[in-house]
Amino acid sequence: MTTEGDETVLTALDGVYGDRKDAIEVAGRTASYEDLLGAARAVAADVAGAKAFAMTATASLETVAAMVGGLLAGVPFVPLPPDAGPAEREHVLRDSGAQLVEVDFARRSDLTWPAAAPEDPALVLYTSGTTGAPKGVVLTAAALAADLDALAGAWQWSAEDTLVHGLPLFHVHGLVLGVLGALRTGSRLVHTGRPTPEAYAAAGGSLYFGVPTVWSRIAREPAAAGALSGARLLVSGSAALPAPVFRDLERLTGLRPVERYGMTETLITISGRAGGEVRPGTVGTPLPGIRTRIAAEPGAAIGELQLTGPTLFAGYLGRPDATAAAYTEDGWFRTGDIAAVDPADGVHRIVGRASIDMIKSGGYRIGAGEIENALLDHPAVSEAAVVGVPDADLGQRIVAFVVAEGVTGAELTDFVAANLSVHKRPREVRFVSAVPRNAMGKPQKKRLLEKYGA
């Protein structure tokens, strides 16, 4: 069995790992590689020649087939968050030019296509910025393959593994690492549908992916955590893992979770290693091919993390100015994150976000500006400022400070959830008389936090 499609990524579909009947399991449904290839070819036949295509990326075999079908046809796949509101969906479809498709996993096709060029766009993932609507991040097949191979080495990830996770299939962690990674390494994939402690405990995996919110909930369930003691590696990402959660997981499972660092624009660039020393609060060392540097003020130990390497994105879709602004004059990507590097062993520690406007909540990376714009669309709201504040479960929770009359906080939360993704809704709304601003009119969010003790 061969793909005759994008062989740079879909190694498992080339037949080198056989064709076990339960190679892929998503929310209780199983499929073999042959099943997936047939369904993906049917998708490829539908979208061949399109500029791009999109579908609602639920936790389903259909989403997996859509992504693989796009790779086979050489057409970029644009996954839509299932909880995206109409305004967000319309923006993504309009901005990407993608045709909206539905996938029937029972359909089959035996059509084949020439292999896509490694530098051709493979995925367009939309990511929130600090201001305005989300931007489309263009990822090539070459970048995906380079990243997954580097991670396979770092985590000793192979066809002998069973990968378990329940992460959403519309961003890098769940879709690229959690699905393409399995199709690249040949590891069996068990997607639990939802990342509950009970589902993780029952899956019997050797390799587990989760975000801090998932791990904190598992750590609160000793029986579920104990069931993971048979695994060889737990991986945490998308936000910093709180040290108490790290310690609880180690105590309950006997495993020290590995953290890694990345962004949609760069994929995963820094990680701890399987079998290596792992320290809480650190994200390890750069992967092969990745170079990092700290742009720090003279005498400072911390500064903005900048990097370069083969995993970086091809640019923001249709946004050459934004793409150029993301790089330094000498071609290093500006992450916007503040980091420190241990001079003794090169281990990286992410200190915080360069901008207060980027919120990491429940494993999601959320731009405050997008939520502010949504709040200002409500006729009762005249001013809005959104921040992330520390939260033991979510990492950060979204708090909105608003100037408004004749509306409740619950109504505003529902308004945002109806127009954006549900996970972008404020968890708390605080009414204020005015949003403090500087001479340029920019909201001074730190003053809000200091004044109201958020």
Side-chain angles (χ1 to χ4, degrees):
M1 177 176 61
T2 60
T3 64
E4 298 184 32
D6 191 344
E7 297 175 353
T8 64
V9 181
L10 302 171
T11 310
L13 299 189
D14 295 336
V16 297
Y17 301 120
D19 192 40
R20 52 194 176 200
K21 298 303 181 183
D22 61 347
I24 303 163
E25 179 179 333
V26 183
R29 297 166 62 200
T30 60
S32 67
Y33 292 138
E34 184 176 7
D35 294 334
L36 173 59
L37 185 57
R41 283 175 170 162
V43 174
D46 290 341
V47 304
K51 178 181 179 180
F53 75 103
M55 71 168 287
T56 301
T58 59
S60 65
L61 290 174
E62 285 73 17
T63 298
V64 177
M67 179 180 60
V68 173
L71 288 167
L72 294 177
V75 177
F77 175 45
V78 184
L80 296 170
D83 62 353
E88 185 172 352
R89 289 173 64 91
E90 289 171 10
H91 165 73
V92 170
L93 293 173
R94 181 175 62 253
D95 187 70
S96 66
Q99 68 180 50
L100 193 62
V101 303
E102 293 185 6
V103 175
D104 179 356
F105 195 82
R107 290 181 60 211
R108 296 289 183 268
S109 174
D110 58 3
L111 294 177
T112 60
W113 294 263
E119 298 303 327
D120 285 347
L123 294 173
V124 180
L125 304 182
Y126 276 77
T127 184
S128 295
T130 57
T131 59
K135 299 187 292 290
V137 175
V138 181
L139 299 171
T140 66
L144 297 172
D147 199 54
L148 294 173
D149 286 348
L151 289 173
W155 298 340
Q156 300 174 15
W157 186 3
S158 75
E160 301 301 315
D161 280 306
T162 293
L163 168 63
V164 177
H165 73 93
L167 302 172
L169 300 186
F170 54 87
H171 58 34
V172 166
H173 199 165
L175 186 64
V176 176
L177 275 62
V179 175
L180 272 183
L183 296 178
R184 181 74 175 168
T185 62
S187 64
R188 181 169 180 256
L189 168 63
V190 177
H191 190 290
T192 59
R194 292 178 58 82
T196 64
E198 296 77 15
Y200 272 44
S206 60
L207 174 61
Y208 285 81
F209 291 168
V211 299
T213 301
V214 172
W215 294 124
S216 68
R217 292 173 182 174
I218 290 173
R220 293 199 298 266
E221 300 287 343
L228 272 56
S229 60
R232 65 170 190 83
L233 190 66
L234 311 180
V235 179
S236 183
S238 298
L241 183 68
V245 177
F246 181 103
R247 291 191 292 268
D248 287 344
L249 287 173
E250 182 181 15
R251 176 175 54 84
L252 294 166
T253 68
L255 300 169
R256 294 171 69 83
V258 164
E259 292 192 69
R260 87 298 184 281
Y261 169 82
M263 301 173 64
T264 306
E265 292 91 338
T266 67
L267 300 176
I268 307 307
T269 52
I270 305 170
S271 180
R273 304 305 201 260
E277 181 184 359
V278 177
R279 301 196 298 269
T282 65
V283 293
T285 56
L287 295 174
I290 301 296
R291 289 187 295 153
T292 66
R293 70 184 185 189
I294 303 298
E297 297 292 332
I302 65 172
E304 183 189 40
L305 175 65
Q306 299 175 355
L307 51 85
T308 185
T311 68
L312 268 65
F313 71 142
Y316 294 113
L317 185 65
R319 301 283 297 276
D321 292 345
T323 302
Y327 287 87
T328 64
E329 290 185 0
D330 58 347
W332 290 65
F333 181 78
R334 307 174 188 270
T335 68
D337 283 313
I338 303 300
V341 179
D342 189 326
D345 55 15
V347 170
H348 287 51
R349 177 170 55 91
I350 306 301
V351 177
R353 186 66 191 170
S355 170
I356 197 173
D357 292 319
M358 187 59 68
I359 302 167
K360 291 185 176 181
S361 181
Y364 296 101
R365 192 166 167 264
I366 303 164
E370 187 183 6
I371 304 172
E372 289 163 356
N373 290 340
L375 287 165
L376 291 170
D377 280 339
H378 194 287
V381 176
S382 57
E383 292 186 85
V386 171
V387 299
V389 303
D391 185 276
D393 185 40
L394 297 170
Q396 287 182 302
R397 71 178 184 277
I398 300 169
V399 176
F401 294 91
V402 299
V403 179
E405 292 183 359
V407 66
T408 67
E411 288 171 338
L412 292 178
T413 294
D414 291 343
F415 181 79
V416 172
N419 286 280
L420 302 179
S421 300
V422 173
H423 66 262
K424 297 177 181 178
R425 71 193 185 283
R427 300 291 179 136
E428 185 178 350
V429 175
R430 297 192 179 192
F431 293 94
V432 296
S433 59
V435 173
R437 300 177 184 273
N438 62 18
M440 300 298 293
K442 185 176 181 179
Q444 296 180 301
K445 297 183 178 181
K446 289 185 178 179
R447 286 183 56 190
L448 279 173
L449 292 170
E450 292 167 357
K451 181 176 180 180
Y452 294 97

